[in-house]
Amino acid sequence: FENFSDEQGLERADVEAAIRDGLVQAVDEAEAAGAIPGLLAPFVREAAESVPPWLVLEALERLGSFLPG
């Protein structure tokens, strides 16, 4: 994460905000497509908005083998 922001000449806060915005948008789109149940979507969205993006990405990478697709 640090390496990426340094290599790209970006501020860490800007990178985190971009990732967070993308995660929230992905949750919104998944909910609209029916891929995330409506009852679960608010919790997933809250996590995307409040958990540090690097931690969310790390968790998704670890859970990737359990997710469909």
Side-chain angles (χ1 to χ4, degrees):
F1 204 81
E2 283 290 329
N3 290 341
F4 174 80
S5 60
D6 289 344
E7 289 172 3
Q8 300 303 314
L10 301 169
E11 295 293 323
R12 181 184 175 109
D14 293 337
V15 174
E16 287 183 358
I19 293 170
R20 185 177 299 109
D21 291 347
L23 289 170
V24 171
Q25 182 177 346
V27 171
D28 292 343
E29 291 174 6
E31 181 182 21
I36 297 177
L39 293 174
L40 182 59
F43 299 107
V44 176
R45 187 176 296 105
E46 178 65 28
E49 292 173 341
S50 59
V51 175
W54 62 268
L55 187 58
V56 173
L57 294 174
E58 184 177 294
L60 289 173
E61 287 177 355
R62 290 182 180 186
L63 292 173
S65 62
F66 298 107
L67 300 175

